[in-house]
Amino acid sequence: MTANFESNVQYIKYLVNKEVSKRFFDGTLDSSIDTVREIAEEIIPGPKALFRCCIYKERHIIEDRVHLVMEPSKENRVINVLDSACDECPIDRFVVTEACRGCLGHKCKEVCPKNAITIVNHRSYINQELCIECGRCKQVCPFNAISEVKRPCIRACSVGAVKMDENRKAMIDHEKCISCGACIYQCPFGAIVDKSFIVDVLHLLKNSWNNTNYHVYAVVAPAGSSQFPKIKTGQLYAAIKELGFHDVIEAAIGADMVSAFEATEFAETVDEMGWKTSSCCPAFVDYVEKNYPNLKEHISTAVSPMIAIGRAIKAKDEKAKVIFIGPCTAKKVEMKQEAVQDAIDNVITFEELQAVFDAKGIDLEHMEEKTGDMASSFGRNFGRTGGLTESVERTIHAAGLQVDLKPIRCNGVEECIKALKMASFGKLDGNFIEGMICKHGCTGGAASLLHDAKGIDLINRHAKEASTDNPLDILATYPIQDIDMERVHHEKA
């Protein structure tokens, strides 16, 4: 079963990952120029170009992509710009439209710090060579006659981390970037990419010698149930095990553990703190730390579900190596953070997983379902907006905690920003912020195969198949008292 892709950008990424994985399985993968060139020619056979000016440009881009997959940047930055693929979008961001009335005030001209605006035939004109795109002219125009057109990558980044360099190519301001991957998903040329660890994971599986040297566990995010709609989630887990994993565990079990911890922490601290936020979304935590460091103490000290279940697995099995599989690019940053780097050995995405399946010829639709440790229905609902809040509410009730939870469910980065602004002004209408940077929650993650709202229904369906609706029931299998559930939030550099 091959996935249906939302765009050619996603498809090209898939083809590169598939071809690299296939050669790994065949034992023919190396980083030589000849191998890289062969992969590019396999994907772009010619003679006609598919998406660029010529096949040579296309192959050059593919070669750069292959290099990034086989030899990820040694820097910790996960989100990077592929210069060869950037179209340098020839967009004039601010343009005077026909609505200009040639008014006497000329506020646009007076406010421009670079004298980029002149009056020609009683109408304003913007010299794009001088314009620095500050937007002051648009703000003061009484007729709203100045239009603004943003590059897709810049428009996608609500935290202002994507900018243009002197050559009009995209660049990432890593001091602001929260690694959410929104720019990756929105760039129509695939010029912004996330670091891939797919080859590292394949090596880890191979070197386990069929899990005799060590045991490689796959931890699958709750959003997994929304990414492969043609099969059952149990078939997905069976297919993952077929890749050579020792076992497949639901990250939703970690979500149940986090719910128990956050519910107790909230009950014990909310009166003193006034309000708290969730901590399971690493991009949200990063945004708070970079933009509202004075609010950092309001973030829950709980680790994310990924870290919780990773630590739980390693507490049970001293030979364990843990790979997280999910829709989130920010998880690739989180796994390396000093406070939690003991828990997860590597991360791959659902996009990458699909490519590995197809490279190995695994037919998901004919797999027998795998059953094993199961999370609660509320733990599984962590994969969508509101699921975390519902789980904490259920845990508060199940544990008999005497506390009133007044949640604010943030569906996407804009709502997160709004809630934090209100909190900083002391006007928050609630006492618990559920911070989810991606629209619809994790099911809308940048590295998802599918991003539409149908994913919510698929997550809800999988949740209903759980054997319990009480997150506390899971703690009998994974005792929370034996696991370090806290993390220390890193200081802003």
Side-chain angles (χ1 to χ4, degrees):
M1 181 193 77
T2 299
N4 294 320
F5 297 97
E6 295 180 328
S7 69
N8 285 332
V9 170
Q10 194 181 52
Y11 183 56
I12 290 294
K13 186 190 301 185
Y14 158 81
L15 290 176
V16 171
N17 287 329
K18 178 184 174 183
E19 191 61 30
V20 169
S21 300
K22 184 178 178 181
R23 286 173 180 260
F24 182 92
F25 293 132
D26 293 343
T28 59
L29 182 65
D30 61 60
S31 58
S32 68
I33 295 175
D34 288 341
T35 296
V36 173
R37 186 174 296 144
E38 286 173 9
I39 293 175
E41 291 176 356
E42 179 76 21
I43 294 173
I44 308 294
K48 292 184 177 181
L50 300 178
F51 55 92
R52 293 283 185 162
C53 59
C54 65
I55 61 172
Y56 307 106
K57 173 73 170 177
E58 292 178 341
R59 287 174 181 171
H60 176 52
I61 294 171
I62 296 298
E63 289 173 6
D64 284 349
R65 284 186 171 277
V66 173
H67 280 301
L68 284 174
V69 173
M70 292 199 299
E71 299 177 356
S73 168
K74 293 182 180 180
E75 296 180 341
N76 287 330
R77 298 169 179 173
V78 166
I79 311 299
N80 297 282
V81 177
L82 191 66
D83 285 344
S84 61
C86 184
D87 189 55
E88 304 169 27
C89 298
I91 294 174
D92 294 333
R93 181 170 175 181
F94 293 99
V95 178
V96 179
T97 69
E98 293 295 325
C100 179
R101 305 300 300 157
C103 58
L104 296 177
H106 297 161
K107 290 184 178 181
C108 56
K109 180 176 183 297
E110 298 300 327
V111 79
C112 180
K114 292 296 182 179
N115 297 318
I117 299 179
T118 55
I119 308 303
V120 179
N121 294 328
H122 304 293
R123 293 186 56 188
S124 296
Y125 169 78
I126 299 176
N127 183 337
Q128 300 299 332
E129 296 298 321
L130 298 176
C131 178
I132 60 172
E133 301 185 352
C134 65
R136 297 179 187 178
C137 55
K138 177 177 172 61
Q139 295 171 6
V140 299
C141 179
F143 293 102
N144 196 27
I146 299 177
S147 68
E148 179 181 10
V149 181
K150 289 184 180 180
R151 299 169 71 154
C153 54
I154 293 177
R155 186 172 62 247
C157 184
S158 297
V159 301
V162 182
K163 304 180 184 300
M164 285 192 303
D165 66 14
E166 62 275 11
N167 297 314
R168 296 184 69 88
K169 287 186 179 294
M171 59 178 291
I172 308 296
D173 182 346
H174 292 283
E175 292 298 314
K176 293 182 177 180
C177 180
I178 57 175
S179 303
C180 67
C183 54
I184 297 174
Y185 177 56
Q186 293 297 336
C187 177
F189 290 95
I192 305 181
V193 296
D194 56 310
K195 184 186 296 188
S196 174
F197 298 105
I198 192 170
V199 175
D200 292 341
V201 170
L202 292 177
H203 274 298
L204 193 67
L205 286 167
K206 180 181 179 180
N207 294 338
S208 74
W209 294 101
N210 292 321
N211 292 287
T212 57
N213 190 22
Y214 47 79
H215 302 149
V216 187
Y217 290 81
V219 168
V220 185
S225 60
S226 70
Q227 297 301 295
F228 301 86
K230 295 181 181 179
I231 63 170
K232 296 180 179 179
T233 304
Q235 290 177 294
L236 170 63
Y237 294 166
I240 294 173
K241 197 169 190 305
E242 188 73 11
L243 291 174
F245 285 92
H246 178 69
D247 202 359
V248 182
I249 308 294
E250 291 188 57
I253 295 173
D256 286 325
M257 296 163 61
V258 169
S259 294
F261 185 91
E262 283 200 351
T264 301
E265 180 188 50
F266 179 81
E268 293 175 349
T269 63
V270 70
D271 286 343
E272 177 185 355
M273 300 299 300
W275 57 275
K276 299 284 289 183
T277 82
S278 61
S279 58
C280 68
C281 175
F284 174 77
V285 172
D286 201 15
Y287 180 79
V288 177
E289 292 180 338
K290 287 181 174 180
N291 294 275
Y292 293 96
N294 58 312
L295 301 182
K296 192 165 58 175
E297 62 183 8
H298 292 274
I299 305 172
S300 169
T301 63
V303 295
S304 70
M306 176 183 83
I307 301 301
I309 191 61
R311 286 179 174 175
I313 291 170
K314 291 188 174 184
K316 279 191 169 187
D317 184 353
E318 63 181 14
K319 295 177 67 177
K321 303 286 186 182
V322 183
I323 307 299
F324 179 79
I325 304 173
C328 180
T329 53
K331 289 294 184 185
K332 295 180 179 183
V333 176
E334 182 187 17
M335 72 170 179
K336 292 189 174 184
Q337 291 175 350
E338 184 177 356
V340 296
Q341 62 183 353
D342 61 312
I344 300 295
D345 294 277
N346 227 313
V347 171
I348 62 172
T349 65
F350 290 131
E351 288 180 326
E352 294 165 337
L353 178 65
Q354 178 69 65
V356 176
F357 281 151
D358 291 345
K360 191 145 188 188
I362 294 176
D363 186 353
L364 278 72
E365 292 183 349
H366 290 88
M367 298 297 298
E368 293 186 10
E369 290 190 73
K370 178 195 178 302
T371 57
D373 295 341
M374 295 179 64
S376 77
S377 58
F378 285 93
R380 290 177 173 179
N381 276 335
F382 259 61
R384 60 162 174 79
T385 299
L388 185 157
T389 294
E390 293 165 11
S391 185
V392 172
E393 286 178 324
R394 178 70 176 89
T395 305
I396 288 173
H397 175 75
L401 300 174
Q402 301 302 309
V403 65
D404 187 16
L405 186 76
K406 299 176 182 178
I408 298 172
R409 301 170 179 84
C410 298
N411 183 20
V413 62
E414 297 293 349
E415 292 187 11
C416 290
I417 292 173
K418 179 180 177 181
L420 290 168
K421 282 183 179 179
M422 296 301 290
S424 68
F425 296 147
K427 296 182 178 180
L428 189 67
D429 187 22
N431 61 10
F432 182 75
I433 298 175
E434 176 190 305
M436 291 289 185
I437 289 295
C438 294
K439 194 74 171 177
H440 307 310
C442 299
T443 187
S448 293
L449 288 163
L450 306 171
H451 292 83
D452 61 41
K454 293 180 181 178
I456 295 174
D457 295 332
L458 294 172
I459 288 174
N460 289 337
R461 183 181 71 183
H462 183 53
K464 291 178 181 178
E465 297 170 354
S467 59
T468 179
D469 68 350
N470 186 353
L472 297 178
D473 289 344
I474 307 303
L475 303 188
T477 306
Y478 292 89
I480 196 171
Q481 65 271 16
D482 297 336
I483 301 160
D484 181 6
M485 289 294 297
E486 288 190 281
R487 57 160 294 165
V488 178
H489 295 294
H490 59 273
E491 294 295 329
K492 183 179 179 183

